[in-house]
Amino acid sequence: MSSASARSKRLHDRVNSLQRDGRPGSRNDSRSRPRIVTSNEAYTYSLRVAYLSYLLQPRQKRLQHVAASPQPPQRSSTSINDLMRDFSLVRDSKSTRFPHGFLAELEKRLTNVVMGKDRGQEYNDAAVKRTFAVFYTAFMEQGFRRRMEKDRRVEDLVLIFFSSATKELQKGKAPSDDGWKLMVDRHVALFVRSLSSILRDHDWARDRPDLASRLATLESKLLTHDNDLVATSQRAGGAGGSTVEVEVPLSYEAKDMPLVLVVARIFGISYAQVQADVTKNRPIWTPKAALTDLKTYQNLMNLNSKRTLRSEDFDVEEAYEAWKKAEGPVLSQMILAIIQSNPELAKTSSAGTPPHANTNDSVASDSGFSNISRKMTDLSSDHGSYVIDQPVDVSELNLNDGSVSPVDEGSNPFTYIPPDPRAYYRAVLMQALTYDLTDPELQPSEPAADAPPRKLLSQQSTELLNETSIRWRIPYFSRMVLFQDALKQKYLDQEIGLETLDAAFDFVKDASGEGPNSSVSKYDTTLLSDRSMWTIADFALNRQILSSLYEALLRDLYDALRHCYEPKPPSIGPIMYVLENHICNDPLFSMSSDEGDHFTAQLAEGLQQKALDVYSEYLHKEIPQKQDEWQFYHVIQLGKAILKLAERIQKRYKKNPKIMGVNPYLVLLETALPAYAADAQDIVERVTNIAASSDEDIPIQQGFELYQEMVEIRRVQTDALPNVPFTVDIENLLADYVWRWIRMTDENMIGWVDQAIKQDRFSVRTDKVDELPSDDERHSVSVIDMFRSFNQAIDQVVQLHWNDELQYAKFMTALARTVGNGVARYCEVLEQRFSREMDRLSPEQEAAANRTRQEKWVQLAKEAWSNKEKIEPFHFYPESLLKLNNTEWAIYQLDKLEHNMNVDACAEVIQRHAPPITQRQPRSNNYVFTIKIVEAEDLKACDMNGFSDPYVVLGDEYQKRLAKTRIIYSSLNPRWDESVDITTQGPLNIIATIWDWDALGDHDCVGRTSLKLDPSHFSDYMPREYWLDLDTQGRLLLRVSMEGERDDIQFYFGKAFRTLKRTERDMTRKITDKLSSYIHHCLSRSTLKSLLNKGISIASVSSLFRGQRQAPQPAPTEVEITNALRPLFQYFDDNFAIMKQTLTDAAMVMVMTRVWKEILATIEGLLVPPLSDKPSQQRPLTQQELDIVFKWLQLLFDFFHAVDEETGTSEGVPVDVLKSPKYHEIQSLNFFYSETTENLIRISERMASATLSRQQQQRNRLSAPGALGGALNFGGGAAGLFGGTTSSTRRSKSILLSRNLGTMKKAKEEKRKEAQAEPNDDIILRILRMRPEAAGYLRDRSRQKERLAAAAAAELIVRQSLAAGGGRMAANLPRR
């Protein structure tokens, strides 16, 4: 432990002991038994000090003219040693040295005097110039100049000038003439004045005040008998005589005594009473009495008397010795000041050694309240009455003489020092503060750089307190402690505020050197900062001050915080600032932890009660008294009021949230929020019951607003009080309003969609007519309005920030169903309009419809005779193409909506909270059957050209139309590849009717067949293929798959995506159908025939009939082959140009892709017949024809890829789209087309064996019963033979796989990889259909696959039975 810490600990212990026991007999007995000082007593002793200050102040002087006297003037001193005595009295010779650069300025001044250029009139005398000239000569001597630069002593200059003036002025004078000696004094005085002038002009006098003071004293001594340095002839208007400076005698009137007037003012004494008191005590209150007090005080201090401080008053002897050592020089200065004011007092003392007089030390050691004057009133100077102005002859004074008689300890031996100086000083200080703080004319001090202006004491009061503290010998640290004690009392009496108290503490810190504006001497700063050097009384009093103020400030803080929840509460900042910066940070302050905890508990309890009161006020203000008038609005307003108050409190105490361990914000939340939660739940339930009883609906928006308000309150409580649960289950309380919103949205959705379509003109949205619209402008407003409705409905729920994830997932699921219904309605209406627009009659067709039957036959004959081949491009309406753009844009918007709703997360939440299957409630199941109308073959010909224009209509047993395909023109083996979804809750019989389209008259029936859709047959959810025989001739291939329709968000989005994609695909197919007839015309066997027979003439035909052998026809050239497709390319360019004006880039690529598929299907039809188990009548192409077909394929590939020759970039369909599995399958035909039948059968058997082995391995790997029935097929004929091998081993396109663009793209990519990874022998079987010798093999393959299908079905039944348990098949279908 350090020495300072040890001293501080001992001091604390001793203070505590003295506070318990007390200690009499000390000068500071007022600590334990405070002396009561009356106002009259304080007035009397302060008046004495004020009067003494008047007596000791420097005498004022005035000029007085004295007539010329015949007596010769007498010199005050003829010895140079007497003249320079003032300089010899100063021990520190450095203080009397002139500064560097002084000699150069003196040289300039001497030159001006000698040359008569000096501005002073007294320097214009010839004798003066002569004297200065002689000195100038000596001054310029180099040796003297160097010596002066080294020593820099002013006395050397004065002595040399004195010597030069004596020599010069006594020239020519008689030995008995002493008049020149007075002139020497006058000339030396002029020289000294010039030295002082140089110091003042260059601001050197401030740095060397001792030198300036000594020079002034020397000048006054030299001019004792002649104060006017002007020539005698110029005095008194030329009448002669002299002017002398004489002291103004004291008037002894109170009006001339500044401090006496201050005493009278602060004590409220009349002027007459003060004057009477001064006159009465004038014989007693003398400077001699003050001198006697000081001598007595010095002797008592040396005797360690109770009348002064003694060692027992300090905790350590070191502190006492330091005080005593500092007190001696101060007493000496004060005695010298008294003697200076009255030199006669020096003659009353016996001879001795004169003390050292140092005015700087006196001011620095005892200028405490002089600093107060500078701090509080911003005055620049303050002088005590004992400051030495001129030297005085104190050679006969002895401060340590024994002339003072012994003092009785029981009486007061002093005239000016009161019996208890501390108590009297405090009384005067209190009186001064009382007066000045109520004085309206008192102006605060100027603010410092980082200190506010202060208004404590006036300058006059400060000077009075300064004088009393000096005369009564009160230490500087005691003054500061008493100053704090007085301000404490004023604060407790509510006479001053916190600003004044803060200013007082700041002043004390500045006085101790801790503040930013400190200007106190180093000695006093050391005493104030080291409190172990204080007296025990001051130490104890300081602790008591801090403790009292701490308690008072805590009471004020408690009262202020009790109002913290009011709109404009009192500020606690000043209280906390004073507590933290002035009380708690003070080393003397100490507080037990129990006291702090007790206050914290009281404060928390008080704030809780206040918070309850505030909540009760809000409750009565916002909630009506009558329950029938209650509404959700009132609960919302109550919550808003509480949150607003909480936000205001949080912002108000943001920087310091905890105040003495209590957080007002948290107290408010802990108290008000639970009460609000309970009241809100009760009010909501009552309002709901009242509305239900009166059969009224509470507005949904009110429920939403109430939910948001209560959720915000719950969030605030959770953030601030994580361990306090919110007692109200808001979600269950208000969930019904969300369901009502969803039901209302679902009911209005169809109307919104219909209204959006009705108001849509289906035109491009662009303002720039001359420019092509961008892709973002190529969809109409109906789809925008529809998705705006979707987003608004969903955002209404999302913005609630529903906290129950299961309920939120169910909300989103219900909204997904509503969105799906809206999308389905939009697609239905859009497709109907699109179909009507695409099926419209051309002008030529309308004209043909109006002809008579005879006119029709004539026109038909003309067209046949002219062999018309020119087919005009179809005129696509922009509004029709915009509908395709709308569908495309809707797909992307639906995908974005799916991501925003976080569909997968919602599905996962519902799955996680779903009960076990055994505990689920039975419900009615809906099943979605996806029927794909693939193709038909061997249809009946209904037209004169030997073909039909077939299309398929699906209907149910009640003759309700379910779907209709497009028309395939001029075909008996059409391929539609169109799908339709049918929803049913049980078995359903569907009827498929194939019709022949006729432009004129009724359509003919080609054939009819039926199929029963039974969910029990699709329990494994695997696809089935059915070849259905028509009732006339031919058959129809249907591919059927089933999914269980379920209340699942992924299912609803998948269904909506499938609907959009199907609509998009149907629109694209309808567009393609308008181009397909010309594609079939250009890519036909007749075109091949005309290309190969272009050189046949009548002569060649005659030769052929005569049996003559003709030379072989040359093969067509590359140009001829290309030219054969020129009309098709031109046709594509014309139609694509029309589409490009309206379709988006993505839609354009989609249409071109569909046209490319149509081209591939047409070329495939040229090469091989469709897959079947029956032989075909189609003949194989020759090698020459085969080469032409593949050249056409390459030309068409390049046309659709559209590579720019300059940039090398593709502007058409991407390569990966063009090189589809169908493209690669056609390319593979080139390898098998010319093979022999035996080789083809051998290759087919090898590939079939590999496929069968692969399927067997797959069944062995999969454990799910659904996967084991991959080969199950209930179709007749070659049901599992042609095209069903691959599809029967995997699930078809599930609705769940279509729930967003990502899953759709992934499924499409997997399908592509599967087609490439598992080649089959279908293409070989199609080639074998054109080989009559392969009929037996086709029949055997069909029977083989039927047996395999039956075995797989039996295996599946066994596995399902085992999985159900007990050897029984499950009675119910598995729920999805």
Side-chain angles (χ1 to χ4, degrees):
M1 182 183 293
S2 64
S3 59
S5 300
R7 289 198 305 270
S8 177
K9 184 177 185 304
R10 289 197 305 272
L11 187 57
H12 276 276
D13 296 341
R14 190 173 180 190
V15 166
N16 294 333
S17 175
L18 290 175
Q19 287 177 339
R20 290 192 302 269
D21 303 332
R23 187 190 66 190
S26 171
R27 183 179 184 235
N28 295 294
D29 283 351
S30 61
R31 179 190 64 252
S32 56
R33 295 187 297 275
R35 178 187 178 94
I36 304 300
V37 179
T38 64
S39 176
N40 187 54
E41 291 175 336
Y43 159 72
T44 300
Y45 275 94
S46 61
L47 181 62
R48 297 180 188 188
V49 173
Y51 177 68
L52 178 61
S53 175
Y54 171 73
L55 295 178
L56 298 182
Q57 68 181 356
R59 298 289 193 272
Q60 295 184 0
K61 296 181 181 181
R62 64 185 178 188
L63 296 178
Q64 181 175 339
H65 177 73
V66 180
S69 175
Q71 299 90 343
Q74 301 294 324
R75 293 188 62 203
S76 61
S77 178
T78 57
S79 171
I80 190 61
N81 293 328
D82 292 339
L83 291 172
M84 303 306 295
R85 177 179 293 181
D86 290 344
F87 293 93
S88 64
L89 288 176
V90 181
R91 298 178 183 175
D92 186 7
S93 60
K94 182 179 180 180
S95 62
T96 59
R97 292 181 181 179
F98 52 77
H100 294 286
F102 182 82
L103 293 180
E105 297 298 328
L106 179 59
E107 180 182 350
K108 296 178 182 178
R109 186 65 180 270
L110 292 175
T111 302
N112 291 336
V113 172
V114 172
M115 298 180 67
K117 296 181 179 180
D118 196 89
R119 290 175 295 178
Q121 188 177 4
E122 60 270 22
Y123 292 99
N124 291 330
D125 186 71
V128 173
K129 294 180 181 180
R130 215 169 42 248
T131 304
F132 271 74
V134 173
F135 172 75
Y136 181 78
T137 302
F139 177 77
M140 297 303 294
E141 196 269 325
Q142 294 298 326
F144 176 76
R145 187 70 174 265
R146 283 195 298 270
R147 189 167 63 255
M148 288 294 98
E149 291 284 357
K150 179 181 180 182
D151 297 338
R152 295 188 292 114
R153 295 192 302 177
V154 72
E155 54 264 36
D156 293 343
L157 291 174
V158 175
L159 289 175
I160 294 300
F161 188 90
F162 179 84
S163 175
S164 300
T166 301
K167 292 179 182 179
E168 179 62 27
L169 292 176
Q170 72 179 353
K171 290 180 180 180
K173 303 294 182 180
S176 60
D177 187 3
D178 292 336
W180 61 273
K181 294 182 180 180
L182 184 60
M183 293 299 296
V184 170
D185 291 347
R186 294 183 68 252
H187 286 203
V188 173
L190 281 172
F191 179 71
V192 172
R193 177 173 291 186
S194 65
L195 297 180
S196 299
S197 177
I198 293 173
L199 289 175
R200 287 193 306 271
D201 293 344
H202 293 83
D203 203 19
W204 287 328
R206 185 176 61 179
D207 297 333
R208 285 169 170 76
D210 293 340
L211 177 58
S213 176
R214 298 303 179 270
L215 290 175
T217 303
L218 178 59
E219 180 183 349
S220 62
K221 287 183 65 175
L222 290 170
L223 299 177
T224 301
H225 298 287
D226 189 2
N227 286 289
D228 191 358
L229 295 178
V230 184
T232 303
S233 60
Q234 299 174 357
R235 296 183 192 131
S242 62
T243 302
V244 297
E245 188 179 51
V246 299
E247 294 182 351
V248 178
L250 297 175
S251 65
Y252 297 101
E253 294 182 4
K255 65 180 182 178
D256 297 329
M257 306 175 187
L259 291 186
V260 170
L261 295 178
V262 174
V263 172
R265 184 166 61 251
I266 66 175
F267 282 95
I269 306 299
S270 65
Y271 177 81
Q273 182 62 42
V274 170
Q275 184 64 58
D277 291 341
V278 170
T279 304
K280 175 183 176 181
N281 295 287
R282 185 175 157 189
I284 303 173
W285 300 346
T286 62
K288 183 177 181 180
L291 184 62
T292 302
D293 280 1
L294 292 177
K295 291 181 180 181
T296 303
Y297 181 86
Q298 188 178 44
N299 288 335
L300 292 176
M301 182 182 65
N302 293 331
L303 295 174
N304 199 22
S305 171
K306 297 180 182 179
R307 295 293 178 182
T308 67
L309 292 176
R310 53 181 182 168
S311 59
E312 287 81 356
D313 293 320
F314 294 89
D315 185 59
V316 292
E317 189 67 24
E318 176 187 351
Y320 172 69
E321 293 297 333
W323 169 80
K324 187 175 180 181
K325 181 179 179 181
E327 195 75 357
V330 175
L331 292 174
S332 299
Q333 299 296 330
M334 296 176 66
I335 292 174
L336 288 176
I338 295 174
I339 294 175
Q340 178 191 13
S341 65
N342 195 346
E344 297 299 330
L345 293 177
K347 300 178 181 179
T348 62
S349 301
S350 59
T353 305
H356 167 61
N358 190 337
T359 60
N360 284 341
D361 289 344
S362 66
V363 174
S365 300
D366 233 331
S367 61
F369 275 93
S370 176
N371 285 300
I372 293 181
S373 175
R374 287 193 293 271
K375 297 284 183 181
M376 300 181 187
T377 62
D378 199 24
L379 297 177
S380 58
S381 61
D382 179 60
H383 302 285
S385 60
Y386 64 91
V387 178
I388 298 176
D389 185 44
Q390 297 181 7
V392 66
D393 187 4
V394 291
S395 59
E396 297 180 356
L397 177 64
N398 184 3
L399 298 178
N400 297 314
D401 60 8
S403 60
V404 179
S405 303
V407 177
D408 182 8
E409 292 288 350
S411 61
N412 185 18
F414 306 110
T415 302
Y416 292 97
I417 302 177
D420 189 348
R422 284 172 54 90
Y424 277 77
Y425 179 80
R426 185 181 183 278
V428 176
L429 177 60
M430 290 290 291
Q431 198 70 31
L433 284 171
T434 302
Y435 179 81
D436 288 340
L437 290 175
T438 57
D439 184 7
E441 298 181 0
L442 177 62
Q443 298 297 324
S445 64
E446 293 294 330
D450 50 3
R454 300 166 179 167
K455 183 178 179 181
L456 293 173
L457 292 170
S458 63
Q459 176 189 2
Q460 295 81 5
S461 299
T462 303
E463 292 175 356
L464 175 63
L465 291 171
N466 188 32
E467 283 295 323
T468 55
S469 63
I470 292 172
R471 293 298 164 191
W472 297 348
R473 304 312 308 140
I474 299 177
Y476 186 64
F477 51 80
S478 296
R479 303 177 211 171
M480 295 296 103
V481 174
L482 291 173
F483 177 69
Q484 285 183 302
D485 186 45
L487 267 296
K488 178 224 35 173
Q489 190 61 45
K490 292 291 183 183
Y491 181 75
L492 295 180
D493 296 339
Q494 298 183 355
E495 297 182 21
I496 63 173
L498 285 170
E499 294 182 358
T500 305
L501 186 63
D502 176 46
F505 275 106
D506 285 339
F507 164 72
V508 174
K509 289 184 178 180
D510 292 342
S512 62
E514 299 177 7
N517 305 311
S518 177
S519 59
V520 186
S521 66
K522 184 178 181 181
Y523 173 75
D524 290 332
T525 300
T526 303
L527 287 182
L528 279 177
S529 58
D530 187 3
R531 300 185 184 185
S532 63
M533 306 295 287
W534 291 11
T535 64
I536 298 176
D538 291 325
F539 191 92
L541 180 59
N542 198 2
R543 287 188 61 182
Q544 188 271 332
I545 291 170
L546 295 175
S547 179
S548 299
L549 284 176
Y550 180 74
E551 295 176 359
L553 289 171
L554 286 187
R555 288 193 296 270
D556 294 344
L557 179 63
Y558 181 86
D559 294 338
L561 283 177
R562 287 272 296 172
H563 302 279
C564 69
Y565 300 132
E566 297 177 359
K568 294 183 179 179
S571 175
I572 65 168
I575 302 176
M576 294 302 301
Y577 180 84
V578 174
L579 273 174
E580 294 175 358
N581 291 275
H582 300 317
I583 305 297
C584 297
N585 288 344
D586 197 300
L588 286 185
F589 176 74
S590 62
M591 177 189 66
S592 64
S593 59
D594 293 340
E595 294 176 356
D597 295 342
H598 179 67
F599 176 78
T600 300
Q602 284 186 330
L603 180 59
E605 182 179 355
L607 289 183
Q608 288 174 357
Q609 184 59 45
K610 192 65 179 178
L612 279 177
D613 296 342
V614 171
Y615 174 75
S616 298
E617 293 177 4
Y618 284 158
L619 187 64
H620 288 88
K621 179 181 178 181
E622 301 295 343
I623 306 299
Q625 296 295 325
K626 297 181 180 180
Q627 295 186 9
D628 295 342
E629 299 177 0
W630 287 356
Q631 296 180 8
F632 285 179
Y633 171 79
H634 301 129
V635 183
I636 295 171
Q637 291 303 113
L638 178 60
K640 289 183 181 296
I642 296 174
L643 288 182
K644 185 176 180 181
L645 175 62
E647 182 180 357
R648 186 168 67 243
I649 296 301
Q650 186 180 29
K651 184 178 180 180
R652 182 178 297 162
Y653 302 107
K654 182 178 181 180
K655 294 184 179 179
N656 298 299
K658 273 194 173 184
I659 303 167
M660 303 302 291
V662 179
N663 191 325
Y665 173 70
L666 295 183
V667 170
L668 174 64
L669 298 185
E670 290 173 350
T671 307
L673 294 191
Y676 170 80
D679 292 340
Q681 183 174 11
D682 183 62
I683 295 173
V684 169
E685 291 176 351
R686 289 178 182 268
V687 170
T688 304
N689 293 335
I690 292 174
S693 62
S694 59
D695 198 17
E696 296 179 356
D697 287 335
I698 300 174
I700 297 176
Q701 195 60 36
Q702 287 190 15
F704 287 168
E705 292 176 359
L706 177 60
Y707 176 80
Q708 291 174 333
E709 189 63 34
M710 295 188 70
V711 164
E712 178 63 17
I713 291 179
R714 181 176 61 187
R715 183 196 64 79
V716 171
Q717 177 175 324
T718 304
D719 293 345
L721 308 170
N723 298 324
V724 179
F726 195 74
T727 57
V728 180
D729 190 350
I730 310 174
E731 281 69 28
N732 286 331
L733 186 64
L734 301 174
D736 183 61
Y737 294 91
V738 183
W739 287 117
R740 284 175 54 193
W741 168 261
I742 295 174
R743 288 194 296 269
M744 183 193 71
T745 303
D746 188 66
E747 293 170 359
N748 296 330
M749 181 57 67
I750 302 301
W752 293 344
V753 173
D754 290 343
Q755 191 66 23
I757 297 175
K758 182 179 180 181
Q759 296 179 358
D760 192 2
R761 299 174 57 188
F762 291 99
S763 59
V764 175
R765 300 174 299 105
T766 180
D767 297 330
K768 301 177 181 179
V769 182
D770 299 334
E771 298 181 7
L772 287 177
S774 62
D775 282 0
D776 292 336
E777 299 172 334
R778 295 194 178 198
H779 51 269
S780 61
V781 296
S782 60
V783 69
I784 298 176
D785 293 341
M786 181 179 68
F787 274 93
R788 183 182 293 117
S789 301
F790 293 164
N791 288 314
Q792 289 175 354
I794 295 170
D795 289 344
Q796 184 67 60
V797 179
V798 171
Q799 291 172 3
L800 294 177
H801 302 287
W802 204 262
N803 197 46
D804 189 313
E805 62 175 9
L806 179 59
Q807 288 184 348
Y808 179 80
K810 291 181 178 180
F811 295 157
M812 293 296 106
T813 300
L815 287 172
R817 181 177 62 249
T818 300
V819 169
N821 294 337
V823 169
R825 177 60 178 175
Y826 186 78
C827 291
E828 178 186 0
V829 177
L830 215 64
E831 192 169 5
Q832 289 175 357
R833 292 193 174 195
F834 184 83
S835 297
R836 286 197 300 267
E837 293 165 358
M838 297 300 293
D839 293 340
R840 73 187 185 280
L841 297 177
S842 64
E844 295 178 353
Q845 291 173 333
E846 291 180 357
N850 296 326
R851 296 190 187 111
T852 62
R853 187 176 184 87
Q854 184 177 0
E855 291 174 343
K856 294 178 182 179
W857 281 106
V858 172
Q859 183 64 29
L860 185 62
K862 289 180 179 180
E863 292 178 356
W865 178 259
S866 61
N867 194 18
K868 183 178 180 181
E869 296 183 0
K870 176 64 176 177
I871 300 178
E872 297 294 333
F874 184 81
H875 183 68
F876 296 98
Y877 286 168
E879 54 266 28
S880 301
L881 300 178
L882 268 175
K883 292 179 176 64
L884 180 59
N885 291 344
N886 286 359
T887 307
E888 176 214 351
W889 192 80
I891 291 174
Y892 287 105
Q893 290 301 312
L894 188 64
D895 183 69
K896 185 185 298 184
L897 187 64
E898 191 264 352
H899 286 287
N900 293 339
M901 292 177 66
N902 204 354
V903 168
D904 292 341
C906 292
E908 192 274 332
V909 168
I910 293 177
Q911 181 65 29
R912 189 170 65 247
H913 290 84
I917 297 178
T918 56
Q919 299 179 7
R920 296 180 187 177
Q921 296 293 331
R923 59 182 177 85
S924 59
N925 291 326
N926 290 334
Y927 301 97
V928 179
F929 283 93
T930 301
I931 301 177
K932 184 173 185 179
I933 304 171
V934 182
E935 62 179 336
E937 62 179 27
D938 295 336
L939 296 181
K940 179 179 70 174
C942 297
D943 295 336
M944 295 176 59
N945 58 3
F947 293 97
S948 296
D949 301 324
Y951 65 92
V952 181
V953 175
L954 292 183
D956 61 10
E957 52 191 316
Y958 303 105
Q959 298 183 357
K960 177 183 177 182
R961 176 180 288 191
L962 302 177
K964 175 186 175 184
T965 68
R966 74 189 189 280
I967 302 169
I968 305 297
Y969 295 96
S970 302
S971 176
L972 299 179
N973 298 292
R975 188 176 187 90
W976 292 279
D977 286 327
E978 295 187 23
S979 300
V980 62
D981 288 340
I982 299 175
T983 303
T984 179
Q985 294 183 352
L988 176 68
N989 290 318
I990 63 169
I991 300 173
T993 304
I994 303 179
W995 296 88
D996 171 55
W997 179 86
D998 286 327
L1000 304 174
D1002 296 333
H1003 298 183
D1004 300 323
C1005 179
V1006 178
R1008 184 180 287 106
T1009 186
S1010 63
L1011 176 67
K1012 183 177 182 180
L1013 301 179
D1014 192 346
S1016 62
H1017 295 164
F1018 292 84
S1019 59
D1020 59 347
Y1021 296 97
M1022 298 302 295
R1024 308 284 189 273
E1025 288 186 349
Y1026 298 95
W1027 278 104
L1028 303 176
D1029 293 328
L1030 300 177
D1031 57 357
T1032 54
Q1033 75 174 53
R1035 56 183 181 172
L1036 176 68
L1037 177 60
L1038 300 181
R1039 184 174 298 142
V1040 183
S1041 62
M1042 185 194 75
E1043 280 192 271
E1045 183 171 297
R1046 48 186 179 170
D1047 190 19
D1048 183 271
I1049 188 171
Q1050 292 178 332
F1051 178 85
Y1052 292 134
F1053 265 95
K1055 191 174 181 180
F1057 268 108
R1058 176 179 286 189
T1059 302
L1060 283 171
K1061 290 298 292 183
R1062 187 166 293 163
T1063 302
E1064 181 186 62
R1065 185 167 56 249
D1066 291 344
M1067 289 182 178
T1068 307
R1069 184 178 291 115
K1070 283 183 173 62
I1071 294 174
T1072 307
D1073 288 344
K1074 297 303 178 181
L1075 312 178
S1076 60
S1077 57
Y1078 196 65
I1079 294 174
H1080 296 161
H1081 170 74
C1082 294
L1083 301 177
S1084 62
R1085 289 183 175 246
S1086 60
T1087 305
L1088 280 174
K1089 184 177 180 181
S1090 62
L1091 182 62
L1092 293 174
N1093 297 334
K1094 64 181 184 304
I1096 298 178
S1097 62
I1098 297 177
S1100 61
V1101 173
S1102 301
S1103 300
L1104 180 61
F1105 279 103
R1106 290 195 297 267
Q1108 297 177 0
R1109 182 181 298 274
Q1110 299 293 324
Q1113 296 294 328
T1117 63
E1118 295 289 341
V1119 175
E1120 292 173 340
I1121 296 174
T1122 303
N1123 289 336
L1125 294 184
R1126 288 289 181 193
L1128 181 61
F1129 290 155
Q1130 185 62 43
Y1131 184 74
F1132 284 157
D1133 287 338
D1134 295 340
N1135 284 278
F1136 290 164
I1138 296 174
M1139 298 179 191
K1140 186 63 177 176
Q1141 295 177 0
T1142 305
L1143 289 179
T1144 63
D1145 291 342
M1148 190 68 198
V1149 171
M1150 182 170 56
V1151 171
M1152 294 178 67
T1153 302
R1154 181 63 195 176
V1155 174
W1156 172 251
K1157 290 182 179 179
E1158 187 69 24
I1159 291 173
L1160 293 179
T1162 303
I1163 291 178
E1164 184 184 37
L1166 282 175
L1167 297 173
V1168 291
L1171 186 63
S1172 178
D1173 58 347
K1174 298 179 181 179
S1176 173
Q1177 300 299 322
Q1178 181 176 337
R1179 69 172 181 84
L1181 297 180
T1182 65
Q1183 186 63 42
Q1184 194 175 27
E1185 292 173 332
L1186 189 67
D1187 293 339
I1188 293 174
V1189 170
F1190 278 101
K1191 288 179 182 179
W1192 282 352
L1193 179 63
Q1194 184 61 42
L1195 290 173
L1196 289 166
F1197 182 93
D1198 295 339
F1199 176 82
F1200 277 86
H1201 191 38
V1203 176
D1204 191 340
E1205 296 179 357
E1206 296 181 359
T1207 61
T1209 59
S1210 173
E1211 297 179 356
V1213 182
V1215 174
D1216 57 339
V1217 176
L1218 293 174
K1219 292 185 177 181
S1220 62
K1222 179 63 69 176
Y1223 175 82
H1224 290 290
E1225 190 176 90
I1226 294 174
Q1227 291 287 352
S1228 66
L1229 273 172
N1230 206 11
F1231 298 101
F1232 301 112
Y1233 208 80
S1234 301
E1235 289 287 339
T1236 63
T1237 303
E1238 292 77 7
N1239 288 341
L1240 290 177
I1241 293 176
R1242 190 162 41 250
I1243 294 173
S1244 175
E1245 290 178 344
R1246 186 168 61 248
M1247 296 177 67
S1249 177
T1251 302
L1252 181 62
S1253 175
R1254 191 164 51 249
Q1255 292 177 356
Q1256 185 63 39
Q1257 292 176 2
Q1258 184 178 6
R1259 283 197 298 270
N1260 293 335
R1261 286 197 306 268
L1262 299 177
S1263 60
L1268 296 175
L1272 180 62
N1273 195 296
F1274 295 96
L1281 176 63
F1282 303 107
T1285 304
T1286 302
S1287 62
S1288 63
T1289 59
R1290 66 177 180 88
R1291 293 288 302 274
S1292 64
K1293 286 190 278 189
S1294 168
I1295 291 179
L1296 294 180
L1297 294 179
S1298 304
R1299 64 181 181 270
N1300 57 46
L1301 290 179
T1303 58
M1304 294 168 67
K1305 183 178 181 181
K1306 183 178 179 181
K1308 188 175 182 180
E1309 188 65 26
E1310 289 179 354
K1311 180 181 178 181
R1312 178 187 294 271
K1313 291 180 179 179
E1314 183 178 350
Q1316 294 176 356
E1318 296 184 2
N1320 54 62
D1321 60 343
D1322 288 353
I1323 196 68
I1324 298 177
L1325 295 175
R1326 296 175 70 175
I1327 297 174
L1328 290 175
R1329 283 196 66 195
M1330 297 185 294
R1331 310 282 179 93
E1333 63 271 21
Y1337 176 74
L1338 293 176
R1339 187 167 50 253
D1340 294 340
R1341 281 290 304 273
S1342 175
R1343 294 173 181 173
Q1344 178 187 7
K1345 289 199 173 185
E1346 287 179 358
R1347 290 194 299 271
L1348 292 175
E1355 182 181 4
L1356 174 61
I1357 293 173
V1358 172
R1359 293 196 176 217
Q1360 287 181 341
S1361 177
L1362 293 176
R1368 295 182 297 105
M1369 293 185 61
N1372 298 325
L1373 292 175
R1375 295 184 179 88
R1376 297 286 290 172

